[in-house]
Amino acid sequence: MTRKLLRRADYARTSFFLRPLPCLAAHFFTRFFDSELVSGDGDNSLSIGGVFAIFAVPGLLAPLLLFAKYSSFGAWLTGQWRRMNVWQMSLADQYLLITWAMTVTGIATVIKWDSLFPDRRDFAALAPLPLSLARIFYAKVFGLAALLLFFIIDVNGPSSVVFPMIFIAGWGNFTDYVRFTATHVLAIAAASAFTFLFFIAIAGVFQAVLPPRWFVRASRYVRTVAVVSLLSLFLTAFAVSDVLVRGHWPRLVRMLPPVWFVALSRALFGRPTFPVFPELARLATWSLLIVFVAAAVAYALSYRRYFMKIPESIDAPAGEYSRVAAALWRVIERLLPGRPAERACAIFAMKTIVRSEKHWLILGGSLGLAVTIASESIAGAPLSRASVPPAPVLAFPLVVIFFLISGLRFVFAMPSELRANWIFRTCGDLQADTGPRIARLVMLALIAPFLILICVPVYAAAFGLAMAAAHTMFAALLSLVLADVALAGYRSIPFTCSWAPGKGNPAFSIGLYTLAFFLFASLMSAIEHWILASVVRYAVMAGVIVAAWLWWKHEAANGEEPDAVLLYEDRREPAVQTLNLS
Amino acid sequence: MLEARHLIKSYSGIPAVADVSFQVRRGEVLGYLGPNGSGKSTTVKMLTGLMEPDRGHVCLDGEDIHADLPGYKRRLGYVPEEPNLYPYLSGAEYLTLVGTLRGIGARTLRAKIDRLMRLFSLYKERYAAMSSYSKGMRQRVLIMAALLHDPDVLIFDEPLSGLDVTSAAIFRNLLSELALRGKVILYCSHVLEVVEKVCSHVLVLNRGRCVAHDSIEHIRARADYLSLEQSFATLVNEPDTQAIAAEIVDCMKSHDTQTAAAR
């Protein structure tokens, strides 16, 4: 009986997906996961399930970390029982969860920006078939809606159940839990939909207004700005948490979209009863309605135009590079140190960063995050014309350098046109140590203009030329050390080696990078603040760092395998490894 | 002389190339033929040093290429089957990268690239991103990249793919010219008419094994065939192509009731 039912269900499912519209919608849905960033072409092999699991984990873990904060037993032990107002306290955490949902949805939409409309492959496959444009359009819309739904459930599902449970457990009843969960889910779904539709509207408007070639060019800048803005929005979760729980929300805070959706949830739930809630809840509703209409109109308007123009467009940034740009690249190549083959590979790597949208987007996001963090640090520093700049001010270039080097290290590992790497494999005398030398050259070639053109003039204007020179030299020395540490074990030419994203331990890597960030930016800026007061201290510290760096290089050179070769395929380690004892 | 000695390569225990041996002398163009999955690409990968054979050797002038692989690669020009290029680089940028990796000096390289791009009718597009190139244009870039450093050994895998009539004619003459200058040339193709015109010898591979290796005249004479195509069909036990074509048309004609109703 069960087997019969299962067979019928399977038959019904198969029959459903064999009909043109569901079949096309399913095709579009799966195509969202078919890219070099998340799967496909052997560059990496994350399945759809893997992608969803990655996004679901933070939403599940974050509320668990709040367990101690809302523990009624803990509050009773510390005598906080009567004074604690969890409904008010939870505003900051709810804001964090809503901001996380908006950031993840936004970044995913921006990354998949190209897939929001049917692309060249879709055109090649679908245009010859007897399918009306309207049917393809509806299938694409259904695919998008399914993606949004899955994303909302995946990113927010676990947190929406666990978060209310944790903070209401000791302080409310089951009805409170159900009511709060419902309003929270509604708010978080509305916030995610708002972000998703907002970027669809932006993409639609750009598609409708710009010629295809200009759209390709403009989209990279728009996407970079979008990623930086989303990351900055996420950082506000830590900046405004105190303000939110106090109840008096300044005008600037009220302009943040996640705040509208927090207010929407609390206006529906009824606790706490801040007077600002109804007004912001209305704003949330109207803004959602407006982006929905804008997205629908922009998408529908641009759809036909875009689909019909696909054959005339090209894949990558526009056709012709200027002669000035070609001459500029030649000048840069001449300025770089090293052997001609290394310089040529470094120029290739720089061109890849500048011209490959996914690499540009990731590095741009990383730098945007750096500038946001560094600016926050400077904004909180005491501003005075002291002879020695305060540590947070000194930290600015270190933060940027840290994110630039770690961002470059990350993007170097992501291949670009992997199948084209045969040219490196079949020509030249590229040895195993050429890879890290090229990578280091690129890192330092990008850091040098930042230090010379931005740091020196800015710090010279604020603290005098001598201080600017001393600070820049210290930052340059630390860059050399960090670049070498970041490239330990690196054995490939940037962008030419296949990527195995599941190979490393993400949790360990995040922990390591966080620790390295605090050591590099916070600790070193504090040390620099101390040594800049005395020439002797400065000289001794510089000497210690140089000695440590040379020791590191010596050890790294000793540890190198004599028969090491350049890697072009980075395979995942097998789940079970033998000890090779026999 | 390029020599393959008893090359054997298996993938997960499944043999792709089983004991293949041949020689290509200077000035000789060897046509390397075989149906899909016969082991041609695997052999080419071994000959270019991209893959090591499980057993056997590839030798150039009597020296195993793996004894000095970088030295061998310096003498090798290779046009792969698929035009896998970096689409965001312009043709000139790509050739500059390849030339620099090959160790050609900057001034000589620029002059060479300019001249080759003119000869291959790509000079006007030299600053254009290769993403905007047609398949034939990409193929021409690959051919230029293979010739840039004046290699002794040339391996062409379907080099005419996507080329227009004029470019294909130029390439056929180029092959003869290169052979006259003493280059060792291996030419892999499915287009037997071209192989018949440009190659002095052919090697036919079937299921990883060499089933014929001789001059075209001898192969044709062996079974009294008029063309290489007929000889090839016999050597690789090609099925009755006409019967299959007829069956395909039959298959096209058969409709289920639902499709018929929809019509």
Side-chain angles (χ1 to χ4, degrees), chain A residues 17-343:
Chain A
F17 281 110
L18 278 177
R19 284 149 64 188
L21 193 62
C23 175
L24 258 185
H27 158 76
F28 283 130
F29 178 74
T30 49
R31 287 277 280 116
F32 289 119
F33 301 92
D34 176 24
S35 95
E36 280 189 273
L37 270 181
V38 288
S39 74
D41 277 355
D43 285 8
N44 53 67
S45 54
L46 274 183
S47 63
I48 295 178
V51 174
F52 276 115
I54 285 172
F55 286 124
V57 169
L60 183 67
L61 291 182
L64 293 176
L65 298 174
L66 301 171
F67 197 76
K69 181 179 172 182
Y70 294 108
S71 161
S72 53
F73 180 61
W76 177 75
L77 283 176
T78 52
Q80 302 283 316
W81 173 261
R82 289 187 187 283
R83 270 176 286 167
M84 262 177 83
N85 183 346
V86 288
W87 307 110
Q88 210 159 318
M89 278 168 68
S90 59
L91 281 168
D93 299 318
Q94 192 178 16
Y95 180 86
L96 174 73
L97 291 175
I98 288 179
T99 314
W100 167 250
M102 291 179 83
T103 308
V104 173
T105 310
I107 288 178
T109 314
V110 170
I111 286 174
K112 299 307 298 174
W113 175 285
D114 295 330
S115 310
L116 298 177
F117 293 85
D119 61 12
R120 291 172 72 83
R121 266 203 284 173
D122 290 324
F123 185 89
L126 302 176
L129 299 177
L131 292 165
S132 67
L133 208 58
R135 183 170 269 185
I136 299 173
F137 174 77
Y138 290 132
K140 190 75 191 178
V141 170
F142 284 138
L144 282 171
L147 178 79
L148 176 64
L149 189 68
F150 269 77
F151 221 83
I152 290 173
I153 294 170
D154 181 63
V155 175
N156 311 302
S159 68
S160 301
V161 176
V162 179
F163 169 63
M165 198 183 287
I166 281 173
F167 95 88
I168 296 176
W171 309 91
N173 53 34
F174 184 69
T175 316
D176 289 334
Y177 171 74
V178 173
R179 280 190 57 230
F180 184 85
T181 306
T183 57
H184 178 69
V185 166
L186 184 80
I188 223 158
S192 302
F194 171 81
T195 319
F196 185 71
L197 294 170
F198 178 77
F199 286 111
I200 286 192
I202 299 248
V205 168
F206 272 85
Q207 289 274 19
V209 173
L210 297 174
R213 178 178 285 190
W214 283 100
F215 174 75
V216 174
R217 278 191 179 174
S219 85
R220 100 176 0 213
Y221 299 107
V222 175
R223 289 163 83 181
T224 310
V225 171
V227 169
V228 173
S229 310
L230 285 163
L231 290 171
S232 307
L233 182 73
F234 182 66
L235 290 178
T236 62
F238 308 102
V240 303
S241 57
D242 286 348
V243 180
L244 288 177
V245 294
R246 260 185 257 134
H248 180 70
W249 295 1
R251 201 164 161 230
L252 267 176
V253 171
R254 278 184 276 157
M255 285 168 74
L256 295 167
V259 163
W260 310 340
F261 295 98
V262 171
L264 175 69
S265 160
R266 296 308 173 107
L268 292 170
F269 181 64
R271 272 186 281 179
T273 51
F274 292 167
V276 73
F277 284 163
E279 178 202 334
L280 291 178
R282 269 197 301 277
L283 188 58
T285 317
W286 276 107
S287 59
L288 183 62
L289 204 66
I290 288 166
V291 291
F292 176 75
V293 173
V297 171
Y299 195 82
L301 278 180
S302 56
Y303 185 84
R304 185 187 167 84
R305 181 174 177 266
Y306 176 73
F307 196 68
M308 300 317 280
K309 289 262 180 184
I310 284 177
E312 297 167 30
S313 66
I314 52 168
D315 278 334
E320 192 113 333
Y321 300 124
S322 72
R323 288 171 189 215
V324 180
L328 195 65
W329 280 115
R330 276 201 294 274
V331 172
I332 295 171
E333 189 167 357
R334 277 188 199 159
L335 287 174
L336 291 176
R339 293 190 298 142
E342 288 168 13
R343 294 206 308 260

Side-chain angles (χ1 to χ4, degrees), chain A residues 314-323 326 329-330 333-334 340-341 344-345 348 351-352 355-356 416-417 419-431 495-496, chain B residues 48-50 70-71 73-74 76 78-80 82-90 93-94 96-98 100-102 110 124-132 138 142 145:
Chain A
I314 52 168
D315 278 334
E320 192 113 333
Y321 300 124
S322 72
R323 288 171 189 215
W329 280 115
R330 276 201 294 274
E333 189 167 357
R334 277 188 199 159
C345 290
F348 157 75
K351 283 176 181 166
T352 304
R355 296 174 187 172
S356 161
S416 168
E417 304 295 329
R419 288 177 188 174
N421 76 3
W422 64 271
I423 197 69
F424 293 95
R425 305 167 84 163
T426 54
C427 66
D429 300 329
L430 301 170
Q431 308 298 323
F495 311 116
T496 64
Chain B
T48 51
L50 287 172
K73 285 179 180 176
R74 254 178 258 136
L76 173 75
Y78 170 48
V79 175
E82 295 282 330
N84 288 315
L85 297 161
Y86 290 100
Y88 48 82
L89 295 183
S90 68
E93 284 175 340
Y94 183 75
T96 307
L97 171 69
V98 176
T100 315
L101 291 174
R102 296 277 190 200
R110 269 186 84 178
K124 273 187 192 167
E125 290 85 6
R126 67 194 186 282
Y127 292 121
M130 287 193 284
S131 56
S132 60
R138 291 179 196 209
L142 285 177

Side-chain angles (χ1 to χ4, degrees), chain B residues 81-194:
Chain B
E81 190 179 5
E82 295 282 330
N84 288 315
L85 297 161
Y86 290 100
Y88 48 82
L89 295 183
S90 68
E93 284 175 340
Y94 183 75
L95 292 175
T96 307
L97 171 69
V98 176
T100 315
L101 291 174
R102 296 277 190 200
I104 305 172
R107 197 171 289 175
T108 317
L109 182 62
R110 269 186 84 178
K112 243 182 184 182
I113 291 172
D114 274 5
R115 203 167 157 201
L116 279 173
M117 290 200 99
R118 276 181 215 278
L119 290 166
F120 277 89
S121 312
L122 276 176
Y123 190 72
K124 273 187 192 167
E125 290 85 6
R126 67 194 186 282
Y127 292 121
M130 287 193 284
S131 56
S132 60
Y133 283 15
S134 67
K135 197 182 174 196
M137 289 160 86
R138 291 179 196 209
Q139 198 66 23
R140 277 181 269 163
V141 172
L142 285 177
I143 295 170
M144 279 190 275
L147 301 176
L148 210 52
H149 58 299
D150 188 22
D152 295 328
V153 180
L154 282 153
I155 296 176
F156 298 108
D157 200 350
E158 293 291 357
L160 297 184
S161 166
L163 288 188
D164 57 31
V165 180
T166 315
S167 305
I170 292 173
F171 183 78
R172 281 198 298 272
N173 290 318
L174 175 70
L175 268 187
S176 314
E177 201 63 38
L178 289 167
L180 278 176
R181 297 195 184 194
K183 307 286 181 195
V184 171
I185 304 169
L186 186 88
Y187 185 93
C188 297
S189 181
H190 289 289
V191 189
L192 301 178
E193 292 92 336
V194 178

Side-chain angles (χ1 to χ4, degrees), chain A residues 309-469:
Chain A
K309 289 262 180 184
I310 284 177
E312 297 167 30
S313 66
I314 52 168
D315 278 334
E320 192 113 333
Y321 300 124
S322 72
R323 288 171 189 215
V324 180
L328 195 65
W329 280 115
R330 276 201 294 274
V331 172
I332 295 171
E333 189 167 357
R334 277 188 199 159
L335 287 174
L336 291 176
R339 293 190 298 142
E342 288 168 13
R343 294 206 308 260
C345 290
I347 291 291
F348 157 75
M350 286 186 215
K351 283 176 181 166
T352 304
I353 292 168
V354 174
R355 296 174 187 172
S356 161
E357 203 159 339
K358 71 172 178 183
H359 295 96
W360 171 268
L361 208 59
I362 292 171
L363 193 65
S366 170
L367 278 177
L369 194 62
V371 173
T372 311
I373 292 173
S375 308
E376 255 189 29
S377 156
I378 288 183
L383 283 180
S384 64
R385 288 189 68 87
S387 58
V388 177
V393 175
L394 291 170
F396 182 82
L398 299 185
V399 172
V400 173
I401 287 167
F402 181 86
F403 275 92
L404 185 60
I405 288 181
S406 49
L408 280 170
R409 178 67 183 84
F410 183 74
V411 295
F412 282 166
M414 295 176 69
S416 168
E417 304 295 329
L418 187 62
R419 288 177 188 174
N421 76 3
W422 64 271
I423 197 69
F424 293 95
R425 305 167 84 163
T426 54
C427 66
D429 300 329
L430 301 170
Q431 308 298 323
D433 61 342
T434 320
R437 278 217 293 271
I438 294 163
R440 190 187 305 111
L441 197 58
V442 177
M443 286 175 172
L444 300 179
L446 294 179
I447 288 168
F450 165 70
L451 288 177
I452 295 164
L453 301 175
I454 296 174
C455 283
V456 173
V458 169
Y459 283 91
F463 302 100
L465 193 60
M467 192 55 71

